[in-house]
Amino acid sequence: MLAGSSAVSPARSGEIVRYARATASKLWTCKSNCGRKNPIGNCWCDEGCLQTNDCCMDYNQTCVATCKGSCGQKSKFNCWCDRGCKDAGDCCADYDNVCANLRPPLHASCKSYCGKQNPVAGCWCDVLCNNERDCCPDYNETCAPPPPPFSCNNSCGAQHYSKMCWCDSACQLKMDCCQDYTAVCTGIPTPPPPSCTTYCGQQPPNSNCWCDSACVGYKDCCRNYTAVCAGGQSGAQSAGMSHRRLK
């Protein structure tokens, strides 16, 4: 930089901008200042600032947003007053004082209201209520569908603990999947179904189905037997296959 030059390097300029923004955010915020003047800046965070037009810029969000009259749901401000707001980090500022210790009203139940809204309590009992965070307190035990008796939950890729069905990629081939395998484990690749292509008159390897003429009687034809083989193998093949089945 030339002697006497007043130019500021780009890096130094960036530092100045960062400092200015950080300082401005402290000058004009109501965080930790509700009910009084911001001690650093020239703005207020009390009820009178609306009349004198000198509120800090985040006065409404920080000091006005309240859970009064909104416990269990979203407030008219951009914050929540339900039991999930702590986990979501979006509670209104006075949630702890107004709502945290309130028990749900006795009439806030899903009994007789599954699939619809409880008109007295205002809470919901439908499949959307968990996402909308407006379920009645007893929704899960009253209305949520129970898991299937042999569910693949926590069993994908293995045999169900009951030993009654499987949840692995071979279960469709073996026809022993638990009933919700497709819904729960579809992310796991499954092998293509066994094919009679190049196996007419035989059993495809690693399969439980057949491609011979006897499969119709045994009711164990592979799914494309008719299209590929159409019962066209020779009598010797058919007899030989039947003989092999009887071994």
Side-chain angles (χ1 to χ4, degrees), residues 100-117:
N101 296 320
L102 288 182
R103 298 179 64 183
L106 294 176
H107 55 260
S109 172
C110 280
K111 291 177 181 178
S112 302
Y113 296 110
C114 289
K116 53 188 177 181
Q117 185 181 30

Side-chain angles (χ1 to χ4, degrees), residues 115 129 142 170 234:
C129 72
T142 305
S234 69

Side-chain angles (χ1 to χ4, degrees), residues 19-242:
Y19 175 78
R21 291 179 63 183
T23 303
S25 67
K26 293 179 182 179
L27 286 173
W28 301 104
T29 183
C30 279
K31 291 179 180 177
S32 303
N33 295 315
C34 290
R36 63 177 185 173
K37 182 181 179 182
N38 181 314
I40 302 175
N42 190 29
C43 61
W44 284 79
C45 304
D46 62 353
E47 294 181 359
C49 73
L50 294 173
Q51 282 73 41
T52 54
N53 200 29
D54 57 0
C55 297
C56 294
M57 56 186 177
D58 60 353
Y59 170 71
N60 284 330
Q61 304 96 292
T62 306
C63 302
V64 177
T66 179
C67 278
K68 291 178 181 178
S70 299
C71 290
Q73 57 189 314
K74 187 177 183 179
S75 78
K76 59 183 178 180
F77 304 97
N78 192 28
C79 56
W80 283 81
C81 305
D82 65 347
R83 289 178 295 172
C85 74
K86 286 287 191 180
D87 292 332
D90 56 5
C91 297
C92 295
D94 60 354
Y95 169 76
D96 286 331
N97 293 329
V98 178
C99 302
N101 296 320
L102 288 182
R103 298 179 64 183
L106 294 176
H107 55 260
S109 172
C110 280
K111 291 177 181 178
S112 302
Y113 296 110
C114 289
K116 53 188 177 181
Q117 185 181 30
N118 180 320
V120 179
C123 53
W124 283 82
C125 306
D126 62 354
V127 294
L128 299 176
C129 72
N130 277 318
N131 288 335
E132 296 295 328
R133 304 197 315 186
D134 56 5
C135 297
C136 294
D138 60 352
Y139 167 73
N140 285 328
E141 53 267 37
T142 305
C143 302
F150 300 117
S151 173
C152 281
N153 285 324
N154 302 316
S155 296
C156 289
Q159 187 178 24
H160 188 266
Y161 69 88
S162 68
K163 309 297 183 185
M164 298 296 292
C165 56
W166 283 79
C167 303
D168 65 347
S169 58
C171 73
Q172 291 182 319
L173 185 67
K174 300 290 186 181
M175 294 185 290
D176 58 0
C177 298
C178 297
Q179 67 186 73
D180 64 351
Y181 167 76
T182 301
V184 176
C185 304
T186 49
I188 298 175
T190 55
S195 171
C196 284
T197 302
T198 72
Y199 292 106
C200 288
Q202 308 171 48
Q203 182 183 29
N206 302 315
S207 73
N208 284 336
C209 62
W210 289 75
C211 301
D212 65 341
S213 60
C215 73
V216 177
Y218 281 100
K219 296 183 179 180
D220 61 357
C221 297
C222 296
R223 67 177 61 190
N224 65 346
Y225 165 73
T226 301
V228 175
C229 303
Q233 65 267 40
S234 69
Q237 287 179 306
S238 300
M241 183 54 62
S242 297

